[in-house]
Amino acid sequence: TASAQVKAAEAALRRLQQGREAAERRVAESRADAARVADVLAKTDIVAPIAGVVTRLPVQEGEMVVMGIQGQLGTTLMTISDLAAIDAEVKVAEADVLRIALGQPASVTLEAIPGVPLTGRVVEVGASALPVTGTGAAAREFKVKVRLDHPDQRLRPGLTCDAEILTAERQN
């Protein structure tokens, strides 16, 4: 009986040792998995190429995002704007666009800040017309960018404005 009890105790000891070894393997596997996840996380840091202010954040933490591949756009995570240099994008009719040149002075007024004209200069003139929207045969328009000389700190992307561009000046 004592011999049978010793054999049973030895078998129980072997089962416990095997259980401990299995638990050690599970711990090692979990550590390896944690290291793999930490490596993947370290590779998913996205650093912006510019410093600025987040002006649009369409996704929140925990949402699924898609990486862009082969001409398909991915998910836009955020829009970062450099508010130190603000451009006003205006539409200019095709009848007037040929008189506009880089460097011409402009005066921009915003609906959000009425009565406060902001000065600037033309920095870009669209090379082709903007797509026509709607069903009517409207005149073509071109995008012109005016960089503001001294942007107001209250300005934010997306505000609407009107611009007057000085294309020529004659004395007397």
Side-chain angles (χ1 to χ4, degrees):
T1 304
S3 175
Q5 287 177 345
V6 167
K7 287 182 182 180
E10 288 173 347
L13 178 62
R14 280 192 301 274
R15 278 194 314 272
L16 289 173
Q17 287 173 341
Q18 290 172 347
R20 187 191 78 209
E21 290 170 0
E24 287 174 349
R25 285 191 299 270
R26 284 192 303 271
V27 167
E29 183 181 334
S30 295
R31 286 187 178 141
D33 193 41
R36 181 190 61 78
V37 169
D39 181 54
V40 169
L41 179 62
K43 292 177 182 173
T44 57
D45 282 347
I46 300 171
V47 180
I50 64 168
V53 176
V54 175
T55 54
R56 186 169 167 266
L57 188 62
V59 295
Q60 299 297 321
E61 184 177 347
E63 286 187 48
M64 178 67 82
V65 296
V66 179
M67 182 176 73
I69 54 171
Q70 294 184 354
Q72 294 179 350
L73 294 177
T75 305
T76 299
L77 301 179
M78 67 184 66
T79 301
I80 299 175
S81 302
D82 179 8
L83 298 180
I86 295 184
D87 293 342
E89 291 184 1
V90 296
K91 295 178 183 177
V92 176
E94 62 183 326
D96 299 324
V97 75
L98 295 179
R99 295 191 309 238
I100 295 179
L102 298 179
Q104 289 177 329
S107 176
V108 177
T109 56
L110 287 88
E111 287 183 26
I113 312 172
V116 180
L118 302 169
T119 60
R121 297 217 169 266
V122 174
V123 293
E124 184 180 318
V125 179
S128 62
L130 295 169
V132 176
T133 57
T135 57
R140 297 283 183 162
E141 295 177 319
F142 289 76
K143 180 169 67 170
V144 174
K145 287 187 182 180
V146 175
R147 172 127 335 124
L148 301 180
D149 294 331
H150 306 288
D152 191 304
Q153 296 300 318
R154 299 174 287 177
L155 296 181
R156 296 290 176 261
L159 295 175
T160 58
C161 69
D162 292 318
E164 293 181 7
I165 300 171
L166 183 61
T167 58
E169 188 173 22
R170 305 282 189 271
Q171 296 294 326
N172 296 327

